[in-house]
Amino acid sequence: MGRKAFASSADLDEKEQTLEVLADGVYALTAEGDPNVGAIEGEDFLVCFEAMATPVAAREWLAKLREHTDKPVRYLVLSHYHAVRVLGASAFDAEVIVAHENTRALVAERGREDWESEFARMPRLAKDADSVPGLTWPTLTFSDRLTIDLGGDRGDLVLQYCGRGHTEGDIVAWLPKHRVLFAGDLVEAEAALYTGDAYHRDWASSTLDRVKAFGADALVGGRGAVSHGRDAVDAAIEQTRDFLRVMIREVGAVHHGGGTLKEAFERTRAALAPRYGKWPIFEHCLPFDVSRLWDELSGIERPVIWTAERDREVWDLLQD
């Protein structure tokens, strides 16, 4: 049996995109496990959530959105700093680019390395990569909570930091009027978790507790289908939590017992695969997930920066 192709480098098939209208002026675009995006109409403007990987990919999303509304984009909200979420920002011509203050710091610290890493891992998402003009810099940041008045009778959009999770800067977007939550990569609905820049123990406990406390009736996760209804929303949150807890248990057991990173990877894969192995990007994510958790358990508080070279070293060590 040959070695697995690196990350998602062999995943070159286009995914079918589905645009859902979740409520009046509330939109979500999902794509069979590819990164999700969304938009919310204000009275005379739009708030877009996530920016896609390149301006070319973003313009394709905007063309679908323009079939429903021609309002200009005033706010572009970025849930976190990862390249496939932010580097399409220039296509939106947004007046304001919003993110958590930690996200801006992470762009400065590791944005360039993440760009090279993610485009090598997921080349299909990097559609016309040369169209990216440079790093995306938030122009408005906050620490805990930011409220956008949507105008008229549309209510508010609440942007909130729930704690460290997928990264140390993830935010969610909450529409109290419609009880719709855009959770970013803090929740995945039947898609594997990428935790290479995560804080696993915070994420699996207090951070997801805060996400669940919104009591959303519809949830748009970072990947996977939209979750409709409280039961489905809670199921998506608990699937995410269970994935994290299994990782913490299995990697922790090997780490505590004096084993190796390779042994931790093999044990974790065996424990997760029966339930999660068929989910999108499972094989892609797991080496990076286990490596980060191993570091975290070893006392390395902040994630080591992923470079294209480090990606290959970890992949070759673990995913053979």
PDB file of all heavy atoms in Angstrom, residues 58-78:
ATOM      1  N   ALA A  58     -13.659  34.180  -3.528  1.00  0.00           N
ATOM      2  CA  ALA A  58     -14.606  35.064  -2.851  1.00  0.00           C
ATOM      3  C   ALA A  58     -15.582  35.687  -3.839  1.00  0.00           C
ATOM      4  O   ALA A  58     -16.781  35.835  -3.539  1.00  0.00           O
ATOM      5  CB  ALA A  58     -13.841  36.149  -2.102  1.00  0.00           C
ATOM      6  N   ARG A  59     -15.103  36.070  -5.016  1.00  0.00           N
ATOM      7  CA  ARG A  59     -16.006  36.677  -6.001  1.00  0.00           C
ATOM      8  C   ARG A  59     -17.061  35.689  -6.479  1.00  0.00           C
ATOM      9  O   ARG A  59     -18.195  36.073  -6.790  1.00  0.00           O
ATOM     10  CB  ARG A  59     -15.190  37.237  -7.174  1.00  0.00           C
ATOM     11  CG  ARG A  59     -14.530  38.577  -6.850  1.00  0.00           C
ATOM     12  CD  ARG A  59     -13.989  39.257  -8.085  1.00  0.00           C
ATOM     13  NE  ARG A  59     -12.777  38.638  -8.564  1.00  0.00           N
ATOM     14  CZ  ARG A  59     -11.544  38.984  -8.170  1.00  0.00           C
ATOM     15  NH1 ARG A  59     -11.371  39.935  -7.274  1.00  0.00           N
ATOM     16  NH2 ARG A  59     -10.486  38.385  -8.681  1.00  0.00           N
ATOM     17  N   GLU A  60     -16.710  34.414  -6.523  1.00  0.00           N
ATOM     18  CA  GLU A  60     -17.712  33.403  -6.896  1.00  0.00           C
ATOM     19  C   GLU A  60     -18.808  33.312  -5.837  1.00  0.00           C
ATOM     20  O   GLU A  60     -19.996  33.183  -6.160  1.00  0.00           O
ATOM     21  CB  GLU A  60     -17.030  32.044  -7.085  1.00  0.00           C
ATOM     22  CG  GLU A  60     -16.111  32.005  -8.297  1.00  0.00           C
ATOM     23  CD  GLU A  60     -15.381  30.690  -8.437  1.00  0.00           C
ATOM     24  OE1 GLU A  60     -15.568  29.798  -7.563  1.00  0.00           O
ATOM     25  OE2 GLU A  60     -14.620  30.530  -9.421  1.00  0.00           O
ATOM     26  N   TRP A  61     -18.423  33.384  -4.559  1.00  0.00           N
ATOM     27  CA  TRP A  61     -19.407  33.408  -3.478  1.00  0.00           C
ATOM     28  C   TRP A  61     -20.263  34.673  -3.556  1.00  0.00           C
ATOM     29  O   TRP A  61     -21.491  34.618  -3.453  1.00  0.00           O
ATOM     30  CB  TRP A  61     -18.684  33.288  -2.146  1.00  0.00           C
ATOM     31  CG  TRP A  61     -19.282  33.950  -0.936  1.00  0.00           C
ATOM     32  CD1 TRP A  61     -18.622  34.788  -0.091  1.00  0.00           C
ATOM     33  CD2 TRP A  61     -20.600  33.821  -0.391  1.00  0.00           C
ATOM     34  NE1 TRP A  61     -19.439  35.197   0.936  1.00  0.00           N
ATOM     35  CE2 TRP A  61     -20.673  34.619   0.776  1.00  0.00           C
ATOM     36  CE3 TRP A  61     -21.737  33.130  -0.776  1.00  0.00           C
ATOM     37  CZ2 TRP A  61     -21.806  34.744   1.553  1.00  0.00           C
ATOM     38  CZ3 TRP A  61     -22.890  33.239  -0.005  1.00  0.00           C
ATOM     39  CH2 TRP A  61     -22.923  34.034   1.147  1.00  0.00           C
ATOM     40  N   LEU A  62     -19.635  35.804  -3.794  1.00  0.00           N
ATOM     41  CA  LEU A  62     -20.377  37.055  -3.858  1.00  0.00           C
ATOM     42  C   LEU A  62     -21.354  37.072  -5.035  1.00  0.00           C
ATOM     43  O   LEU A  62     -22.435  37.651  -4.934  1.00  0.00           O
ATOM     44  CB  LEU A  62     -19.410  38.235  -3.956  1.00  0.00           C
ATOM     45  CG  LEU A  62     -18.656  38.545  -2.659  1.00  0.00           C
ATOM     46  CD1 LEU A  62     -17.510  39.521  -2.926  1.00  0.00           C
ATOM     47  CD2 LEU A  62     -19.601  39.112  -1.610  1.00  0.00           C
ATOM     48  N   ALA A  63     -20.988  36.417  -6.130  1.00  0.00           N
ATOM     49  CA  ALA A  63     -21.914  36.353  -7.273  1.00  0.00           C
ATOM     50  C   ALA A  63     -23.191  35.609  -6.895  1.00  0.00           C
ATOM     51  O   ALA A  63     -24.295  35.997  -7.303  1.00  0.00           O
ATOM     52  CB  ALA A  63     -21.226  35.673  -8.456  1.00  0.00           C
ATOM     53  N   LYS A  64     -23.073  34.560  -6.105  1.00  0.00           N
ATOM     54  CA  LYS A  64     -24.260  33.848  -5.622  1.00  0.00           C
ATOM     55  C   LYS A  64     -25.071  34.732  -4.665  1.00  0.00           C
ATOM     56  O   LYS A  64     -26.299  34.775  -4.727  1.00  0.00           O
ATOM     57  CB  LYS A  64     -23.859  32.552  -4.913  1.00  0.00           C
ATOM     58  CG  LYS A  64     -23.265  31.486  -5.824  1.00  0.00           C
ATOM     59  CD  LYS A  64     -22.898  30.251  -5.026  1.00  0.00           C
ATOM     60  CE  LYS A  64     -22.508  29.094  -5.938  1.00  0.00           C
ATOM     61  NZ  LYS A  64     -21.290  29.369  -6.708  1.00  0.00           N
ATOM     62  N   LEU A  65     -24.362  35.435  -3.800  1.00  0.00           N
ATOM     63  CA  LEU A  65     -25.044  36.310  -2.842  1.00  0.00           C
ATOM     64  C   LEU A  65     -25.775  37.438  -3.562  1.00  0.00           C
ATOM     65  O   LEU A  65     -26.868  37.846  -3.137  1.00  0.00           O
ATOM     66  CB  LEU A  65     -24.008  36.868  -1.864  1.00  0.00           C
ATOM     67  CG  LEU A  65     -24.515  37.734  -0.721  1.00  0.00           C
ATOM     68  CD1 LEU A  65     -25.508  36.969   0.158  1.00  0.00           C
ATOM     69  CD2 LEU A  65     -23.339  38.240   0.120  1.00  0.00           C
ATOM     70  N   ARG A  66     -25.208  37.932  -4.655  1.00  0.00           N
ATOM     71  CA  ARG A  66     -25.821  39.040  -5.400  1.00  0.00           C
ATOM     72  C   ARG A  66     -27.113  38.647  -6.098  1.00  0.00           C
ATOM     73  O   ARG A  66     -27.848  39.514  -6.570  1.00  0.00           O
ATOM     74  CB  ARG A  66     -24.821  39.604  -6.414  1.00  0.00           C
ATOM     75  CG  ARG A  66     -23.634  40.342  -5.777  1.00  0.00           C
ATOM     76  CD  ARG A  66     -24.093  41.379  -4.805  1.00  0.00           C
ATOM     77  NE  ARG A  66     -23.002  42.105  -4.145  1.00  0.00           N
ATOM     78  CZ  ARG A  66     -23.135  42.728  -3.006  1.00  0.00           C
ATOM     79  NH1 ARG A  66     -24.303  42.697  -2.360  1.00  0.00           N
ATOM     80  NH2 ARG A  66     -22.132  43.377  -2.459  1.00  0.00           N
ATOM     81  N   GLU A  67     -27.399  37.366  -6.159  1.00  0.00           N
ATOM     82  CA  GLU A  67     -28.708  36.944  -6.668  1.00  0.00           C
ATOM     83  C   GLU A  67     -29.810  37.253  -5.667  1.00  0.00           C
ATOM     84  O   GLU A  67     -31.001  37.222  -6.004  1.00  0.00           O
ATOM     85  CB  GLU A  67     -28.685  35.444  -6.976  1.00  0.00           C
ATOM     86  CG  GLU A  67     -27.716  35.073  -8.101  1.00  0.00           C
ATOM     87  CD  GLU A  67     -27.626  33.574  -8.298  1.00  0.00           C
ATOM     88  OE1 GLU A  67     -28.412  32.834  -7.653  1.00  0.00           O
ATOM     89  OE2 GLU A  67     -26.764  33.129  -9.088  1.00  0.00           O
ATOM     90  N   HIS A  68     -29.424  37.569  -4.426  1.00  0.00           N
ATOM     91  CA  HIS A  68     -30.384  37.840  -3.361  1.00  0.00           C
ATOM     92  C   HIS A  68     -30.358  39.287  -2.874  1.00  0.00           C
ATOM     93  O   HIS A  68     -31.381  39.798  -2.411  1.00  0.00           O
ATOM     94  CB  HIS A  68     -30.116  36.914  -2.168  1.00  0.00           C
ATOM     95  CG  HIS A  68     -30.299  35.473  -2.480  1.00  0.00           C
ATOM     96  ND1 HIS A  68     -31.483  34.803  -2.267  1.00  0.00           N
ATOM     97  CD2 HIS A  68     -29.434  34.554  -3.013  1.00  0.00           C
ATOM     98  CE1 HIS A  68     -31.353  33.543  -2.640  1.00  0.00           C
ATOM     99  NE2 HIS A  68     -30.117  33.365  -3.088  1.00  0.00           N
ATOM    100  N   THR A  69     -29.216  39.934  -2.952  1.00  0.00           N
ATOM    101  CA  THR A  69     -29.102  41.299  -2.431  1.00  0.00           C
ATOM    102  C   THR A  69     -27.973  42.030  -3.132  1.00  0.00           C
ATOM    103  O   THR A  69     -26.939  41.430  -3.447  1.00  0.00           O
ATOM    104  CB  THR A  69     -28.853  41.295  -0.919  1.00  0.00           C
ATOM    105  OG1 THR A  69     -28.629  42.638  -0.463  1.00  0.00           O
ATOM    106  CG2 THR A  69     -27.641  40.459  -0.541  1.00  0.00           C
ATOM    107  N   ASP A  70     -28.179  43.331  -3.351  1.00  0.00           N
ATOM    108  CA  ASP A  70     -27.123  44.152  -3.945  1.00  0.00           C
ATOM    109  C   ASP A  70     -26.561  45.162  -2.954  1.00  0.00           C
ATOM    110  O   ASP A  70     -25.862  46.102  -3.326  1.00  0.00           O
ATOM    111  CB  ASP A  70     -27.628  44.871  -5.197  1.00  0.00           C
ATOM    112  CG  ASP A  70     -28.792  45.814  -4.907  1.00  0.00           C
ATOM    113  OD1 ASP A  70     -29.215  45.919  -3.729  1.00  0.00           O
ATOM    114  OD2 ASP A  70     -29.288  46.456  -5.855  1.00  0.00           O
ATOM    115  N   LYS A  71     -26.834  44.966  -1.671  1.00  0.00           N
ATOM    116  CA  LYS A  71     -26.331  45.892  -0.663  1.00  0.00           C
ATOM    117  C   LYS A  71     -24.805  45.808  -0.577  1.00  0.00           C
ATOM    118  O   LYS A  71     -24.224  44.724  -0.737  1.00  0.00           O
ATOM    119  CB  LYS A  71     -26.953  45.571   0.707  1.00  0.00           C
ATOM    120  CG  LYS A  71     -28.465  45.796   0.747  1.00  0.00           C
ATOM    121  CD  LYS A  71     -29.060  45.333   2.072  1.00  0.00           C
ATOM    122  CE  LYS A  71     -30.579  45.514   2.069  1.00  0.00           C
ATOM    123  NZ  LYS A  71     -31.211  44.989   3.312  1.00  0.00           N
ATOM    124  N   PRO A  72     -24.156  46.934  -0.325  1.00  0.00           N
ATOM    125  CA  PRO A  72     -22.690  46.915  -0.222  1.00  0.00           C
ATOM    126  C   PRO A  72     -22.224  46.255   1.071  1.00  0.00           C
ATOM    127  O   PRO A  72     -22.933  46.256   2.083  1.00  0.00           O
ATOM    128  CB  PRO A  72     -22.321  48.400  -0.228  1.00  0.00           C
ATOM    129  CG  PRO A  72     -23.527  49.077   0.355  1.00  0.00           C
ATOM    130  CD  PRO A  72     -24.716  48.292  -0.131  1.00  0.00           C
ATOM    131  N   VAL A  73     -21.031  45.709   1.027  1.00  0.00           N
ATOM    132  CA  VAL A  73     -20.455  45.082   2.212  1.00  0.00           C
ATOM    133  C   VAL A  73     -19.819  46.169   3.079  1.00  0.00           C
ATOM    134  O   VAL A  73     -18.826  46.782   2.682  1.00  0.00           O
ATOM    135  CB  VAL A  73     -19.405  44.023   1.833  1.00  0.00           C
ATOM    136  CG1 VAL A  73     -18.807  43.395   3.096  1.00  0.00           C
ATOM    137  CG2 VAL A  73     -20.012  42.952   0.938  1.00  0.00           C
ATOM    138  N   ARG A  74     -20.397  46.387   4.245  1.00  0.00           N
ATOM    139  CA  ARG A  74     -19.808  47.353   5.174  1.00  0.00           C
ATOM    140  C   ARG A  74     -18.809  46.668   6.104  1.00  0.00           C
ATOM    141  O   ARG A  74     -17.737  47.196   6.375  1.00  0.00           O
ATOM    142  CB  ARG A  74     -20.892  48.040   6.006  1.00  0.00           C
ATOM    143  CG  ARG A  74     -20.327  49.084   6.982  1.00  0.00           C
ATOM    144  CD  ARG A  74     -21.441  49.836   7.696  1.00  0.00           C
ATOM    145  NE  ARG A  74     -22.271  50.577   6.753  1.00  0.00           N
ATOM    146  CZ  ARG A  74     -23.413  51.196   7.089  1.00  0.00           C
ATOM    147  NH1 ARG A  74     -23.849  51.136   8.352  1.00  0.00           N
ATOM    148  NH2 ARG A  74     -24.100  51.844   6.182  1.00  0.00           N
ATOM    149  N   TYR A  75     -19.184  45.482   6.600  1.00  0.00           N
ATOM    150  CA  TYR A  75     -18.327  44.761   7.543  1.00  0.00           C
ATOM    151  C   TYR A  75     -17.969  43.390   6.975  1.00  0.00           C
ATOM    152  O   TYR A  75     -18.846  42.661   6.496  1.00  0.00           O
ATOM    153  CB  TYR A  75     -19.039  44.536   8.879  1.00  0.00           C
ATOM    154  CG  TYR A  75     -19.426  45.782   9.620  1.00  0.00           C
ATOM    155  CD1 TYR A  75     -20.709  46.320   9.490  1.00  0.00           C
ATOM    156  CD2 TYR A  75     -18.519  46.427  10.469  1.00  0.00           C
ATOM    157  CE1 TYR A  75     -21.084  47.463  10.176  1.00  0.00           C
ATOM    158  CE2 TYR A  75     -18.890  47.568  11.165  1.00  0.00           C
ATOM    159  CZ  TYR A  75     -20.164  48.080  11.010  1.00  0.00           C
ATOM    160  OH  TYR A  75     -20.526  49.213  11.699  1.00  0.00           O
ATOM    161  N   LEU A  76     -16.709  43.041   7.050  1.00  0.00           N
ATOM    162  CA  LEU A  76     -16.250  41.679   6.801  1.00  0.00           C
ATOM    163  C   LEU A  76     -15.714  41.158   8.128  1.00  0.00           C
ATOM    164  O   LEU A  76     -14.758  41.719   8.684  1.00  0.00           O
ATOM    165  CB  LEU A  76     -15.158  41.653   5.739  1.00  0.00           C
ATOM    166  CG  LEU A  76     -14.484  40.297   5.490  1.00  0.00           C
ATOM    167  CD1 LEU A  76     -15.490  39.255   5.016  1.00  0.00           C
ATOM    168  CD2 LEU A  76     -13.337  40.446   4.489  1.00  0.00           C
ATOM    169  N   VAL A  77     -16.351  40.121   8.642  1.00  0.00           N
ATOM    170  CA  VAL A  77     -15.979  39.557   9.940  1.00  0.00           C
ATOM    171  C   VAL A  77     -15.152  38.291   9.714  1.00  0.00           C
ATOM    172  O   VAL A  77     -15.587  37.391   8.977  1.00  0.00           O
ATOM    173  CB  VAL A  77     -17.235  39.228  10.779  1.00  0.00           C
ATOM    174  CG1 VAL A  77     -16.842  38.564  12.095  1.00  0.00           C
ATOM    175  CG2 VAL A  77     -18.053  40.495  11.036  1.00  0.00           C
ATOM    176  N   LEU A  78     -14.002  38.237  10.344  1.00  0.00           N
ATOM    177  CA  LEU A  78     -13.117  37.075  10.243  1.00  0.00           C
ATOM    178  C   LEU A  78     -13.128  36.344  11.574  1.00  0.00           C
ATOM    179  O   LEU A  78     -12.781  36.922  12.604  1.00  0.00           O
ATOM    180  CB  LEU A  78     -11.703  37.519   9.893  1.00  0.00           C
ATOM    181  CG  LEU A  78     -11.579  38.397   8.631  1.00  0.00           C
ATOM    182  CD1 LEU A  78     -10.148  38.860   8.455  1.00  0.00           C
ATOM    183  CD2 LEU A  78     -12.084  37.659   7.397  1.00  0.00           C
TER     184      LEU A  78
END
